[in-house]
Amino acid sequence: VRVLVPFGRTRTVGYLLAVSDRTDIERNRLKRALAILDREPLLPPADWKTLLWAAGYYRHPVGEVCAAAFPVLLRQGGEAERSQVRRLKTTVAGLQIAPQELARAPRQALLLQWAQQHPEGIAEAELTALDWDWRPPARALIGKGWLELVSGARAIDPVLSPPDWRPDLNGDQRRAVDTVTAALGSHRSFLLEGVTGSGKTEVYLQVVETVLAAGRQALLLLPEISLTPQLGQRFRQRLQIPIALFHSGLSESERLQAWLAMQRGEARVLLGTRSAVFAPLAQPGVIIVDEEHDLSFKQQEGFRYSARDVAVMRARELAIPVMLGSATPSLESLANVARRQYARLHLPQRAGGATAPRFRVVDLRAQRLDEGLSPPLLDAMATTLERGEQVLLFLNRRGYAPTLTCHGCGWIATCRRCDANLVIHLKERRLRCHHCGHEQPQPSDCPACGSDDLRPLGLGTERIERALAKRFPDVPLARIDRDNTRRKGSLEQMLEDARSGRTRILLGTQMLAKGHHFPAVTLAALLDVDAGLFSTDFRGSERTAQLIMQVAGRAGREQLPGTVILQTRHPDHPLLTTLINHGYGEFAEAALAERRAAGLPPYGYQALWRAEAGQPEAARRLLERLAERCSNDAALAVFGPAPAPLQRKAGRHRFQLLLQADQRPPLQRALKLLVEEIDGWPEARQCRWALEVDPLDFG
Ligand code: ADP
Ligand code: ZN
Ligand code: ZN
């Protein structure tokens, strides 16, 4: 339970994990709690165990771990109460009345009809949103005994009308569903591997149906729910029950209500992003992690945990199955399959008769480019558009161009606070730093030599958008990136226009690569794959392969065959040739062999110690002492300290120290000691440090 406790001059919310009647702390230093905030424990014992495991494994203060597990309002001491809303519902008598009988009172007829279509009732908020006053007609209908106003806990998301079609599972899907449902009631971990469109979601749906039929709940984690509203819709339609949502697009109180609805068992299914992995389950049935390879499951600041890994540990603690799904599984999960810790379920073919897309590599060295677009790509676009189909172009760089340079003296516009170039945003005539948010007007003359010959270097989505508008002036185009979708609802509108076919060319960043289903896209192109081919991060090739396959997965999802064009200056790069000729599976096998030979994850275990400070020496000193401290531990390999890839960010100097071991236990033991010791070190007070276990991103 939560307790309110005095803390310095203020008060704060604490978590009461255990009660003891002895202590070594002097009596006069103990303080009394001000209040106990919960009458009932917020989480069952198994979930507390998971939290304590996470605090130990990630070496993070248990209070912050608990805080991460609770919605903000609970963290702040808010009441764990379901809020009540009033709903207008038909009575049994009201269901028998044909609305036409009320022809002389059209608003009453409308309300009655509306209520009949929504047996669960219409929320007051929806009624107040009408442009006429619903109260008088409602009062009349209530008087007749046809409607009633009921109060109840806030409903989650209303049920949608059922779909008119549900597919018959193919043999592979059937086997996957049967294997997972056979494991209900005990712990097992599954990796569902299937190309985009192979029917993974269909497998989730049927597993969840069985879980629901057994009176249990399902927790589904997705990378970015707000990007894929159709998925929530598909679940609501198929399952015919209210579904709780938990993601950053909701208000704090909505998140709290979804959390409580699962805790009380009032909602049976929760769809959520990373932090939903901690949502309580009154009757746990299954946990599903879709797109398990996705980086968004990793919390990148504060309590740096992997929601996928926590999901697996939590499922073990709860004795329920966990299913990880992906078209491009992480090498970690594939290694776990090889070690027989996960059972592999495979969907090798696209479902419903769609065929796999064809790859085409365009060697940019031999081409005359128009703003980064090669003639073969432009030709393919033209024929695709002529056929009435859609084109999707991917470039993971927003803005107009990543660099502004002076043709006279070579000056480059850089951020004052970061070791980074400023990105040109042409429409606003501004230069922006994508690392710290700094921005300034675009200069018209070079600040170094005064020349007015300033030129943009490189390509961003805004620049491609302009080039395409010239090339295909009559073709409706949508640019989908973070700059262009800031306004609430604008992304939904763009996605809707894309799905309906109104938009013909879709151009975008990561936002466009993931999870969407655009039926008429038959040509997908990656405008610049080279950026990913020569990464300094050992995970660079895995990321690039995943990205290429994700973008490819957008092409040809229904009856129309798809083509994927890769623009590169390195057409013979082994990553590309393996991926294209043999598929992701073979790429992954080769990549795993390399990792094994190098002792890198998943065959080695890492922890990254980061430190940053206004003065570079302050950050470096702490890591040097840590490195020194580790040097006599034979089980540890120590790399660094070294400057972070972006050494200066927002005016702070950043360094890192990498610790690696062949096994988890010696690394865990070393971290435990170091974290306890470091608190007493003066060096630790002169910088900000953070420890990340199983780091995925060294940025
Ligand atoms: P994934 O999640 O692997 O991308 P989906 O479950 O979304 O795949 O399925 C892709 C498409 O194929 C969807 O339109 C879905 O309705 C359809 N589909 C799935 N399974 C079948 C099946 N067994 N028969 C026919 N169509 C199917
Ligand atoms: Zn100059
Ligand atoms: Zn900056």
Side-chain angles (χ1 to χ4, degrees):
V1 298
R2 294 169 303 152
V3 286
L4 190 66
V5 293
F7 187 73
R9 283 158 199 268
T10 60
R11 18 172 79 187
T12 191
V13 173
Y15 304 89
L16 186 61
L17 300 183
V19 177
S20 167
D21 53 9
R22 319 159 34 120
T23 175
D24 298 334
I25 300 170
E26 289 163 45
R27 222 194 145 83
N28 62 2
R29 295 190 57 207
L30 291 174
K31 287 186 187 171
R32 208 173 270 282
L34 301 169
I36 295 178
L37 297 178
D38 302 305
R39 254 169 301 166
E40 305 277 329
L42 287 173
L43 296 175
D47 286 339
W48 285 116
K49 270 178 82 178
T50 305
L51 292 183
L52 293 177
W53 166 83
Y57 182 76
Y58 292 108
R59 289 287 140 217
H60 201 77
V62 68
E64 283 182 33
V65 172
C66 290
F70 293 107
V72 168
L73 291 179
L74 290 184
R75 244 180 265 173
Q76 295 170 342
E79 257 188 287
E81 286 302 328
R82 296 278 279 131
S83 61
Q84 305 282 309
V85 287
R86 294 206 301 169
R87 315 177 72 77
L88 193 62
K89 277 182 69 154
T90 58
T91 59
V92 178
L95 277 175
Q96 331 277 331
I97 309 297
Q100 296 86 297
E101 288 179 29
L102 293 166
R104 280 189 306 173
R107 284 185 179 165
Q108 287 185 36
L110 218 70
L111 273 189
L112 183 64
Q113 189 180 10
W114 197 13
Q116 286 173 347
Q117 287 161 351
H118 293 273
E120 79 280 5
I122 307 160
E124 203 168 357
E126 284 186 67
L127 293 163
T128 351
L130 292 171
D131 54 8
W132 42 273
D133 185 6
W134 60 280
R135 274 162 241 268
R139 225 174 288 130
L141 289 165
I142 292 169
K144 291 174 189 155
W146 295 343
L147 289 188
E148 58 185 346
L149 262 178
V150 294
S151 287
R154 176 142 56 169
I156 327 303
D157 243 356
V159 176
L160 295 174
S161 52
D164 38 16
W165 174 80
R166 56 182 294 161
D168 293 323
L169 295 186
N170 61 37
D172 298 310
Q173 287 172 311
R174 181 83 269 154
R175 241 185 325 277
V177 170
D178 289 348
T179 313
V180 179
T181 51
L184 293 182
S186 63
H187 173 64
R188 262 187 96 184
S189 306
F190 299 96
L191 177 66
L192 177 65
E193 186 182 350
V195 294
T196 313
S198 61
K200 292 185 295 298
T201 311
E202 210 45 56
V203 170
Y204 305 151
L205 277 163
Q206 301 226 3
V207 167
V208 170
E209 278 177 330
T210 310
V211 165
L212 295 176
R216 313 236 128 226
Q217 293 166 301
L219 173 60
L220 253 119
L221 302 181
L222 307 157
E224 268 147 295
I225 258 186
S226 50
L227 295 187
T228 49
Q230 347 57 312
L231 196 69
Q233 253 179 39
R234 194 160 154 202
F235 269 78
R236 282 156 66 192
Q237 284 189 326
R238 273 292 286 284
L239 301 176
Q240 290 293 296
I241 53 163
I243 283 177
L245 299 176
F246 195 93
H247 58 81
S248 60
L250 301 175
S251 69
E252 291 303 341
S253 95
E254 285 170 318
R255 271 204 293 254
L256 172 63
Q257 292 304 317
W259 196 91
L260 290 172
M262 291 302 280
Q263 188 213 39
R264 312 271 156 101
E266 290 163 17
R268 320 294 307 169
V269 178
L270 182 85
L271 298 188
T273 44
R274 184 175 57 230
S275 61
V277 70
F278 297 110
L281 302 171
Q283 295 96 16
V286 70
I287 303 179
I288 296 172
V289 183
D290 189 27
E291 310 284 1
E292 63 89 27
H293 65 278
D294 199 278
L295 265 186
S296 72
F297 289 122
K298 183 74 197 257
Q299 167 84 28
Q300 304 278 22
E301 54 189 37
F303 169 34
R304 296 160 187 252
Y305 65 96
S306 152
R308 176 196 63 208
D309 297 347
V310 171
V312 171
M313 288 308 288
R314 187 175 176 208
R316 181 183 297 177
E317 211 58 73
L318 293 172
I320 59 173
V322 58
M323 179 163 44
L324 314 179
S326 176
T328 51
S330 62
L331 298 188
E332 276 75 11
S333 293
L334 291 172
N336 279 328
V337 168
R339 294 177 186 128
R340 301 190 182 276
Q341 287 177 349
Y342 296 174
R344 179 178 189 240
L345 308 166
H346 193 203
L347 307 179
Q349 258 132 36
R350 282 189 165 185
T355 51
R358 212 162 39 86
F359 282 95
R360 222 179 118 189
V361 175
V362 172
D363 184 351
L364 290 183
R365 289 170 306 184
Q367 307 288 346
R368 270 186 70 90
L369 301 182
D370 174 9
E371 300 284 53
L373 304 166
S374 64
L377 172 61
L378 289 166
D379 288 347
M381 286 181 69
T383 41
T384 306
L385 293 169
E386 264 161 38
R387 281 201 305 267
E389 296 158 12
Q390 284 172 305
V391 176
L392 182 148
L393 302 178
F394 175 86
L395 179 68
N396 210 11
R397 216 175 299 118
R398 61 197 171 85
Y400 182 79
T403 310
L404 177 69
T405 180
C406 169
H407 197 63
C409 75
W411 170 86
I412 285 177
T414 55
C415 179
R416 267 182 286 131
R417 313 203 303 149
C418 308
D419 292 329
N421 294 347
L422 293 172
V423 177
I424 308 171
H425 288 258
L426 198 64
K427 190 162 147 237
E428 296 97 335
R429 306 218 132 265
R430 292 185 81 76
L431 301 178
R432 290 202 180 109
C433 174
H434 287 188
H435 298 282
C436 73
H438 165 80
E439 57 176 276
Q440 64 192 59
Q442 189 178 322
S444 45
D445 303 316
C446 173
C449 75
S451 153
D452 62 358
D453 193 1
L454 294 181
R455 299 185 183 183
L457 220 60
L459 299 168
T461 46
E462 197 191 348
R463 189 165 189 176
I464 306 284
E465 180 186 28
R466 287 179 181 235
L468 290 170
K470 269 194 216 127
R471 278 272 172 177
F472 303 100
D474 307 322
V475 181
L477 171 147
R479 185 183 107 218
I480 300 185
D481 58 29
R482 247 192 307 142
D483 295 319
N484 223 14
T485 52
R486 240 169 234 146
R487 209 163 27 85
K488 203 168 158 59
S490 62
L491 175 65
E492 286 78 2
Q493 187 58 52
M494 283 193 213
L495 292 177
E496 185 44 45
D497 287 347
R499 265 193 303 279
S500 72
R502 249 191 308 273
T503 312
R504 310 300 308 288
I505 302 177
L506 306 167
L507 163 68
T509 53
Q510 296 276 17
M511 291 183 103
L512 200 53
K514 290 184 192 169
H516 301 293
H517 179 39
F518 305 118
V521 168
T522 55
L523 176 65
L526 291 104
L527 300 184
D528 178 14
V529 286
D530 294 348
L533 293 180
F534 301 97
S535 164
T536 52
D537 185 337
F538 72 88
R539 283 194 174 83
S541 61
E542 178 185 356
R543 299 262 161 70
T544 304
Q546 289 166 343
L547 186 64
I548 291 174
M549 297 314 281
Q550 296 288 334
V551 174
R554 307 301 123 220
R557 301 231 341 161
E558 274 172 11
Q559 300 318 318
L560 307 166
T563 302
V564 184
I565 290 184
L566 307 176
Q567 295 199 136
T568 174
R569 289 192 165 77
H570 305 273
D572 301 322
H573 193 287
L575 186 151
L576 296 180
T577 50
T578 310
L579 203 59
I580 291 166
N581 299 328
H582 306 287
Y584 182 81
E586 203 140 312
F587 156 78
E589 238 171 75
L592 276 171
E594 278 173 27
R595 299 267 190 99
R596 187 196 286 275
L600 287 167
Y603 304 103
Y605 300 88
Q606 295 185 331
L608 187 71
W609 224 296
R610 302 170 199 264
E612 58 171 64
Q615 296 304 319
E617 277 321 301
R620 195 189 264 279
R621 260 197 307 272
L622 173 72
L623 298 183
E624 272 164 1
R625 182 158 177 192
L626 275 167
E628 172 67 31
R629 187 71 187 74
C630 295
S631 59
N632 53 3
D633 187 335
L636 289 187
V638 180
F639 303 96
L646 186 68
Q647 185 181 341
R648 204 167 47 100
K649 182 173 172 182
R652 300 181 67 84
H653 294 266
R654 307 155 78 235
F655 289 83
Q656 38 189 245
L657 179 74
L658 182 67
L659 306 179
Q660 190 177 308
D662 295 340
Q663 304 290 333
R664 264 202 189 101
L667 180 63
Q668 283 285 320
R669 269 195 300 277
L671 295 179
K672 183 168 190 292
L673 284 177
L674 292 171
V675 169
E676 281 163 10
E677 260 182 47
I678 197 173
D679 271 336
W681 296 0
E683 290 91 338
R685 262 164 265 138
Q686 281 146 25
C687 64
R688 212 160 40 201
W689 63 266
L691 169 64
E692 181 163 2
V693 177
D694 303 332
L696 288 182
D697 187 348
F698 296 84

